[in-house]
Amino acid sequence: MPEQQAGYREIFAVREYRHLFAANLLSLIGDQLTAVALSFLVYQRSGSSLLAALTFAGSYLTWVVGGPLLSVLADRLPRRRVLLTCDLIRAGLVLVMLIPGTPVPLLVALAFVANLCRPPFQSARASLLPDVLDGDRYPVANGLDNIVAEVTQVAGFALGGLLITAGSAQTVLVVDATTFLLSAVLIATGLRRCAAATQAAAEPSGSWWSETTAGVRVVFTNRTLRSYLLLFWLSCLVYATEGVVAPLAGEYGGGARTVGLLLAMMPAGVAVGGVLLTRFCSPELRRRSMLPLAVLSCAVLLPVAGHPPLPVVLALLFVSGLAGAFSIPLNAVFGRAVPAAYRARAFGVAMSGLCAVQGLAMLGAGAAAEAVRPTLVVGGVALLATLAVLTVVATWPSPDRAPVSEPVREPVGV
């Protein structure tokens, strides 16, 4: 019997999801405000562009460092407790930043520690969703969350800039701490108390390192989960384009406005694609379109190598993002396939790997743009990503080449 398609009304009918959604929205806004306010404050006090950039980049570096390690907490402790603790720690650290005369190195360190709370928070939340939402509600909620994340990233930066202009960085930090406190209230009042994901929480089966590597083994020793993850990571190589938007805009004789347009196209495409996939496509169509869309998201940027007109480049970037929305149903399939006891660690591995792939791809693209024109770099990255994705598609584990969402057994030894 085909799975019944769900809508936004169905997912918001679930009280726990309403609270998780609102708490996540507030935490995302808080993360963006922290990045904006601290970067401005550090630059204002130190005059160092490097320190300001390091403060901003810390929000991404913490996923690489803390993704696999700290997501263990979301499997070994009650996930509601992890969410609450992360929000309260972040609120407390932001309030400490408000103390007058706080040295700049301490501000950078506090920002880094606050950002370290993101991996366990997001991993715990992602792990809860398959338990809170049944049937097609889960992938629809994933689509909505993705859209909200894209919009919040832009709106959070804009809001931070406006608040700094109207008041000060300290004003933004007060608002920031408030968002985390409100998120904690929503979690405390809206989520039922629950046990840890595994009964082994009280008696860990080994060292922290062995607990971390257990999550890695669950993903990479299973062909199905490994294929899901590789498809996601390798398709995201095209985001290396973001690393060369400034020289790309310069190639077309544009300035800051052109840079903004180039940066906005792919996120806008993902947001629109998320709506189309989750609201207007059946669950079966979503599953069967994932592989073609994954290939399209990379291959559509190949013509950029020929230096087409700027409007064509913008359109191609938008279509790339539109097709890149395949990651929304893929994320839902991945979440349901991972054993519940390792779900948070699996999401931590996925996100840390994504940050590493995107970061290295951007660095490589930037280095290549020193030697060749940026449009050729974008086309070359698209070719590399397309070939990589086709390799994964050629070895896809499902006989009918469409992912399924049955649970995957834990590998022996884990």
Side-chain angles (χ1 to χ4, degrees), residues 235 238 266 292-301 319-321 323-326 389:
S235 67
V238 293
M266 290 180 77
L293 287 176
V295 176
L296 177 63
S297 69
C298 303
V300 72
L301 294 180
V319 174
S320 177
F326 83 90
V389 168

Side-chain angles (χ1 to χ4, degrees), residues 293-385:
L293 287 176
V295 176
L296 177 63
S297 69
C298 303
V300 72
L301 294 180
L302 289 171
V304 177
H307 190 80
L310 181 60
V312 174
V313 175
L314 294 173
L316 292 175
L317 288 170
F318 179 82
V319 174
S320 177
L322 197 70
F326 83 90
S327 61
I328 294 170
L330 179 63
N331 180 64
V333 171
F334 178 79
R336 280 190 172 145
V338 176
Y342 299 91
R343 197 178 288 149
R345 279 168 283 182
F347 277 112
V349 169
M351 286 304 301
S352 60
L354 174 64
C355 290
V357 167
Q358 288 183 335
L360 290 173
M362 287 180 190
L363 287 174
E370 293 286 333
V372 298
R373 56 184 172 83
T375 47
L376 192 59
V377 173
V378 173
V381 169
L383 177 61
L384 178 64

Side-chain angles (χ1 to χ4, degrees), residues 169-385:
Q170 286 79 3
T171 303
V172 179
L173 290 176
V174 171
V175 176
D176 186 14
T178 304
T179 63
F180 290 128
L181 290 173
L182 289 174
S183 173
V185 170
L186 285 165
I187 291 165
T189 58
L191 269 64
R192 62 181 182 272
R193 296 181 183 274
C194 52
T198 68
Q199 294 303 316
E203 298 178 12
S205 57
S207 66
W208 190 282
W209 179 250
S210 67
E211 294 295 304
T212 300
T213 55
V216 177
R217 290 199 302 273
V218 163
V219 174
F220 283 99
T221 58
N222 184 279
R223 184 186 175 192
T224 301
L225 293 178
R226 187 170 64 247
S227 296
Y228 292 164
L229 208 54
L230 288 176
L231 184 69
F232 179 49
W233 285 350
L234 295 175
S235 67
C236 287
L237 283 170
V238 293
Y239 282 89
T241 303
E242 294 181 353
V244 294
V245 286
L248 184 60
E251 185 177 340
Y252 284 94
R257 182 184 176 188
T258 304
V259 170
L261 285 172
L262 289 168
L263 283 173
M265 285 301 103
M266 290 180 77
V270 173
V272 173
V275 174
L276 294 176
L277 276 176
T278 57
R279 294 295 291 119
F280 301 102
C281 295
S282 66
E284 180 62 23
L285 179 58
R286 265 184 245 135
R287 284 191 290 267
R288 292 193 174 277
S289 64
M290 280 195 284
L291 296 181
L293 287 176
V295 176
L296 177 63
S297 69
C298 303
V300 72
L301 294 180
L302 289 171
V304 177
H307 190 80
L310 181 60
V312 174
V313 175
L314 294 173
L316 292 175
L317 288 170
F318 179 82
V319 174
S320 177
L322 197 70
F326 83 90
S327 61
I328 294 170
L330 179 63
N331 180 64
V333 171
F334 178 79
R336 280 190 172 145
V338 176
Y342 299 91
R343 197 178 288 149
R345 279 168 283 182
F347 277 112
V349 169
M351 286 304 301
S352 60
L354 174 64
C355 290
V357 167
Q358 288 183 335
L360 290 173
M362 287 180 190
L363 287 174
E370 293 286 333
V372 298
R373 56 184 172 83
T375 47
L376 192 59
V377 173
V378 173
V381 169
L383 177 61
L384 178 64

Side-chain angles (χ1 to χ4, degrees), residues 1-6 134-139 282-284 286-287 336 405:
M1 181 178 177
E3 189 176 8
Q4 187 175 359
Q5 187 172 352
D134 58 355
D136 193 47
R137 291 178 178 180
Y138 177 44
S282 66
E284 180 62 23
R286 265 184 245 135
R287 284 191 290 267
R336 280 190 172 145
S405 56

